[in-house]
Amino acid sequence: MTLDASPAWQALQVHCDSGLGTMAMSRLFKDDGNRTDKFSHEFDDIYIDYSKNRITEETLSLLFDLAEQQDLSGWIHKLLSGEKVNDTEGRPALHTALRANHQFVTGYAEEVQDKVDEQLANMAVIVEKIRTGHWRGFSGKAITDVVNIGVGGSDLGPLMITNSLQTIKSPVNLHFISSIDGSQTSNLLGKLKQETTLFILASKSFTTIDTLSNAETAIDWLEEVIVDKQEIYSQHFIGVSTKPDMMTEWGIPPENQLIFWDWVGGRYSLWSAIGLPIALQIGMEKFRELLDGARIMDEHFGTEPYERNLPVILGLIDVWNINFLNIQKKAILPYDARLKYLPSYLEQLVMESNGKSVNRDGQQVGYKTCPVLWGEVGPNAQHAFYQLLHQGTQKVMCDFVALKIRDDFDPSSHSDKNESLKAQHGLALANCFAQSRVLMLGDDAIPDSLKSSFDSPFKHYPGNQPSNTILMKEISPKTLGMLIALYEHKTFVEGVIWEINSFDQWGVELGKLIAKETRAALQDTKLAEQFDSSTKGLIEKVMS
Ligand code: F6P
C-alpha cells in the first residue's frame, strides 16, 4: 500500500477536508485562549512556539499516528545505533556518534567512539599549534590567516558556525573559498601573504573539482614565493578528508591530515574534523560545547515521547503543511545578522537530504516531499521578499529564529552604546514577533482605529501563513549545537514519513559528469557537435 493510501494518511486527509484545510488561524486563536500553552515547548535553552500553524490537538494526534504507522521510533533507533539507514550507499549516517562523547550510544555508534576520540585529539594538537603561533610558515613566521577550501558540507557548516560565533575572537583570521570560478580565490589571495597563510583542503571525497581547482590555484600562488615544494605541503596545507591515501598522493603529509569516515554525510560533517575552522576560531573547549549542545538534542530526540519531541513535532507539522495544506515553500528567517548563513546551510541540509521523488524501494512517490527552502536575515528580508509573504499568491511556511538575550555586549552596563544595542535588540524582537503575527492574522491584525486607512484592495493582508518561532536563549556553541541537531533530526523525521533515504544525493552526480564532457567541448568545440543546439550555441559564443 502506498503512503498516501494508508490509513493514517487517509485519516489526516479526512481531518483536513473537514475544516482545517480552509480555516483561518485567527479563529483557532479566538476559540482557544490557551492555544500557545498547548502548542509550544521549552527544552533546555530553546523555546519553540508552533501555535501559529493550522493545527489542533486532533491534528497532532493524527500526525503521531502517522509517525507510528511509519515506524518512526524504529527508524530513530536505527539511525542512532548506526544501522545502515543510508541504504543506497550501504552505510550508516552516524553524525550523532561524532558528538556522543561515549554517552548515549549503542550498536555500531559505540564501536566508533575510540576513532572519534583519536581524531578529536589529533585536531586538538593542530588547533593548539596554530592558535598559539607555533605553526610556522616557510619563512618561520607564525600563521595569521587560515583559508578553508571546500564546498557544500565541507564549507557551509564551518562558515555558518564561525560567522554565528564571531564575537568569540579568533587568534587567526579565517577565510572561506568555495566557488569553482576562482573569483573568491583571486580576490582573497590578493590580500594575503604567502608566508603567513595556511590552507585547509576540506573534501570528504577528495575528488570535488571545485575544491581541487581552488587548491591548485592556491598552490600556484604559494609557488610564486616558495621554492621548495615540500615546504608548501608541509607548512601551508592541512587536509581533511575520508581519503588519507588520496591526500598523501596529492602531496599532503600524513601528519597534516585529519580524517573522518564515509558514515559521516557531507552535510552532516561540521561535527567532524571538517569543523577545524570552527575549533581554530573558538578553541577546542568551546568546540566540545558545540558537540555537547548537539548531543543534548540527540538524547532528546532519542528518548522523548512524540508529544514532547521537538524534531518529531516540527517535522510532522511540516508534513501536515506540505502534504495536506499544500504549502510547498519554506522561509528561514533569523533575527540576528550573525545567523546570516543559517539559511544557506539549511538549504543544503534540507533540500539535498529530502529533495527526492523516489522512495526507498525505488518507486516514484505520489505525494509531495521536500519544500523549496530559502531565507535571509529576517529584518533585511522584510525590505526585500516579505511583500510576497504578505500579499503574494504563494503559501509559505516560515521559521523565525530569535534570541532571548544578546550576548555580544554587557547588558548590565549602561554606557550609551550598550543602551543603543539593547534598544536595537528590542527592535529586532518587536519586528520578529510583529511579522509572524501579521502573517498569521492578516487584516485581523489591523487595529480598529486604523481600519479605515486600510480600506483598499491594495492594503489587504490575507494572512493564514503558518510559522514556527524558535527562541534561543543566546547564540553560544551549545545553543547552536542544539539548533543544528534539531534541524538535522527534523529533516530525518520528514524523510522517514515520506519513505525516502535522506542521506544520499544522487541528484547531484549527473551534472558533475556532464560538466566534464562540457569542459572537453570547451577545449575542442568539435565535441559539442552532438550536444543540443542551446548548449552548442553557448559554447560557440564563448569560443568565438
Ligand atoms: O555535490 C554535492 C556534494 O557531494 C555534497 O554532498 C558535499 O557536501 C559537497 O559536494 C562537497 O563534497 P566533498 O566534501 O566530497 O568535496
Side-chain angles (χ1 to χ4, degrees), residues 319-382:
V319 168
W320 167 250
N321 285 331
I322 293 163
N323 298 110
F324 299 94
L325 301 185
N326 203 20
I327 302 173
Q328 316 300 339
K329 288 109 204 157
K330 174 136 197 160
I332 304 293
L333 306 164
Y335 273 69
D336 187 301
R338 288 171 290 170
L339 297 172
K340 172 177 152 84
Y341 293 110
L342 180 67
S344 317
Y345 174 81
L346 293 179
E347 280 166 14
Q348 186 195 10
L349 174 66
V350 175
M351 295 197 281
E352 202 173 66
S353 296
N354 286 343
K356 294 160 192 172
S357 50
V358 168
N359 69 13
R360 285 180 181 273
D361 294 330
Q363 303 295 320
Q364 185 73 32
V365 299
Y367 42 84
K368 293 281 191 287
T369 59
C370 188
V372 172
L373 180 144
W374 90 108
E376 181 51 84
V377 173
N380 293 353
Q382 286 178 204

Side-chain angles (χ1 to χ4, degrees), residues 185-205:
T185 316
S186 135
N187 180 37
L188 175 67
L189 298 186
K191 296 175 192 152
L192 302 180
K193 288 202 178 104
Q194 285 93 338
E195 58 181 349
T196 51
T197 300
L198 174 69
F199 293 92
I200 301 171
L201 206 175
S203 175
K204 176 180 172 182
S205 60

Side-chain angles (χ1 to χ4, degrees), residues 81-255:
S81 60
E83 282 190 41
K84 293 181 179 171
V85 291
N86 180 355
D87 34 28
T88 61
E89 295 179 298
R91 58 199 187 205
L94 258 186
H95 38 288
T96 53
L98 299 169
R99 54 228 192 185
N101 197 15
H102 296 265
Q103 301 164 47
F104 192 61
V105 273
T106 53
Y108 184 59
E110 197 168 359
E111 282 176 37
V112 300
Q113 289 299 287
D114 291 342
K115 287 186 186 182
V116 172
D117 284 351
E118 190 188 329
Q119 282 308 309
L120 278 169
N122 293 346
M123 194 168 154
V125 171
I126 289 180
V127 167
E128 174 74 5
K129 217 170 151 188
I130 297 171
R131 280 173 61 90
T132 55
H134 285 93
W135 188 298
R136 304 280 164 154
F138 78 97
S139 68
K141 288 196 180 152
I143 294 301
T144 56
D145 292 85
V146 177
V147 184
N148 189 77
I149 308 179
V151 72
S154 300
D155 168 65
L156 287 167
L159 177 67
M160 179 267 297
I161 299 280
T162 52
N163 204 69
S164 302
L165 295 174
Q166 60 191 252
T167 52
I168 303 177
K169 288 289 165 242
S170 170
V172 286
N173 304 311
L174 289 169
H175 312 273
F176 292 85
I177 287 177
S178 54
S179 174
I180 199 169
D181 60 275
S183 58
Q184 290 172 317
T185 316
S186 135
N187 180 37
L188 175 67
L189 298 186
K191 296 175 192 152
L192 302 180
K193 288 202 178 104
Q194 285 93 338
E195 58 181 349
T196 51
T197 300
L198 174 69
F199 293 92
I200 301 171
L201 206 175
S203 175
K204 176 180 172 182
S205 60
F206 217 77
T207 57
T208 305
I209 184 71
D210 317 50
T211 300
L212 294 176
S213 61
N214 275 317
E216 290 301 338
T217 303
I219 294 274
D220 291 344
W221 178 72
L222 290 168
E223 280 178 347
E224 287 171 13
V225 295
I226 308 176
V227 187
D228 181 352
K229 260 209 148 198
Q230 271 321 100
E231 287 179 343
I232 290 183
Y233 295 107
S234 62
Q235 281 158 276
H236 293 271
F237 263 95
I238 290 173
V240 183
S241 180
T242 57
K243 299 282 169 29
D245 294 349
M246 290 169 87
M247 288 197 274
T248 307
E249 200 181 314
W250 196 81
I252 299 174
E255 60 278 16

